Amino acid sequence: MLTEVTATRYVTPLREGGSLPGLVEGDDLVPYVMKFTGAGQGRKTLVAEVVCGRLARALGFRVPELVALDLDPVVGLGEPDPEVQELLKSSGGTNLGMRFLSGVLGFDPLAFSVDPQEAGRVVWFDALVHNVDRSWRNPNLLVRRGDLWLIDHGACMIWHHNWRGAAAWADKPYDATDHALAPFAPDVAAAAAELAPRVTEELLGAAVADIPDVWLEGEPGFDTPDAVRRAYVETLRARVATVHERITLPEGGAHPGAGR
Ligand SMILES: Nc1ncnc2c1ncn2[C@@H]1O[C@H](COP(=O)(O)OP(=O)(O)OP(=O)(O)O)[C@@H](O)[C@H]1O
Ligand SMILES: [Mg+2]
């Protein structure tokens, strides 16, 4: 289960995020980036954040701590922007909180270098969860004191938008030609050898156990939240052993973002 925190103050919208995440303060006095259940992308975005965020952390990647953030929409009554008001009003209850990291920079491939091992691990992980949101245009990587942090896994695991077709995702290719770390000669074979054996039923089970039930209830085709959790585990298990064989990297390690 995720730690439960109550949002006590809505501080400001984070304008750079497409889903209009907000900066809020919790009753533990910690600042969180809040992703709203009422956002247009829906609650599956939040499920993807939890599953991928927890899995990545378990594999040793840096991902900001995730919590379940309870929101009483009254908290944002003073917020003047009508778009934000709507979002708050439609998001009462359990939302996702991600610990706000101070002192971070957005990843810039021209200003920051990543070694082939680390690049390989990130590309391999993104292939496993089919992350389409780590391109050089929108890297969703943060740099803090020289360390790389992964954020924004909301667009991963697109198979959960159509569970009936999920089995076909066991051997789909992953196009990493636009990946933000593609120019750093990612060693995906080494990453697969190191990480794939660690993605066990148990590890996946622990990641999906953290999804709040309220985001899984009423999923068409499933009787219980645990049945949906099992479907996430099965789809990822079916991909893990051979996904590295289906990653396309740019020839010569270059992509249009390199050498801008
Ligand atoms: N934990 C964090 N600490 C500090 N800054 C953060 C954190 N999470 C997000 N941000 C900042 O907020 C921005 C938007 O966050 P994020 O990418 O998660 O939102 P989004 O709405 O899903 O974005 P997108 O437009 O990529 O769909 C990030 O690019 C980053 O600048
Ligand atoms: Mg983003």
Side-chain angles (χ1 to χ4, degrees):
M1 266 223 342
L2 294 177
T3 305
E4 289 177 18
V5 176
T6 300
T8 49
R9 192 160 69 99
Y10 182 86
V11 182
T12 187
L14 284 175
R15 297 276 168 202
E16 61 267 49
S19 69
L20 210 60
L23 182 64
V24 307
E25 190 173 74
D27 60 355
D28 54 0
L29 304 184
V30 170
Y32 292 100
V33 174
M34 187 171 198
K35 298 249 176 142
F36 296 96
T37 42
Q41 294 84 344
R43 63 186 193 171
K44 284 194 179 164
T45 306
L46 309 189
V47 173
E49 292 272 13
V50 172
V51 176
C52 302
R54 296 299 254 191
L55 183 58
R57 274 174 75 105
L59 291 173
F61 293 96
R62 289 176 213 91
V63 179
E65 184 195 348
L66 301 173
V67 299
L69 257 185
D70 187 61
L71 174 73
D72 178 346
V74 163
V75 160
L77 275 184
E79 172 56 39
D81 184 328
E83 200 185 345
V84 174
Q85 273 298 339
E86 273 314 302
L87 203 49
L88 290 165
K89 269 194 230 144
S90 59
S91 301
T94 306
N95 295 269
L96 181 73
M98 180 180 282
R99 197 183 182 102
F100 178 78
L101 302 175
S102 54
V104 293
L105 298 168
F107 175 77
D108 178 347
L110 298 181
F112 189 78
S113 177
V114 181
D115 66 59
Q117 279 66 40
E118 184 168 24
R121 282 195 288 268
V122 176
V123 172
W124 180 84
F125 174 76
D126 285 338
L128 174 65
V129 296
H130 202 85
N131 189 359
V132 293
D133 235 354
R134 195 102 66 205
S135 72
W136 56 273
R137 292 179 198 83
N138 183 17
N140 288 310
L141 293 167
L142 301 176
V143 178
R144 187 186 206 216
R145 296 197 184 114
D147 288 331
L148 208 56
W149 289 73
L150 313 187
I151 59 160
D152 196 359
H153 299 105
C156 299
M157 304 193 299
I158 51 174
W159 49 83
H160 67 168
H161 296 286
N162 176 20
W163 279 115
R164 274 180 303 172
W169 280 88
D171 52 11
K172 290 249 169 98
Y174 180 70
D175 182 357
T177 49
D178 268 358
H179 196 284
L181 302 186
F184 299 96
D187 189 347
V188 291
E194 177 200 342
L195 298 177
R198 291 173 55 192
V199 183
T200 57
E201 294 270 346
E202 203 183 358
L203 195 83
L204 291 167
V208 299
D210 282 337
I211 311 167
D213 278 356
V214 285
W215 298 344
L216 299 173
E217 278 159 4
E219 179 65 28
F222 297 90
D223 291 337
T224 61
D226 275 342
V228 194
R229 289 188 178 95
R230 274 196 296 280
Y232 282 102
V233 171
E234 279 163 22
T235 317
L236 290 166
R237 280 289 286 163
R239 291 170 62 80
V240 72
T242 57
V243 70
H244 63 285
E245 295 166 5
R246 293 184 293 276
I247 299 173
T248 310
L249 286 163
E251 299 203 2
H255 64 50
R260 266 173 298 157

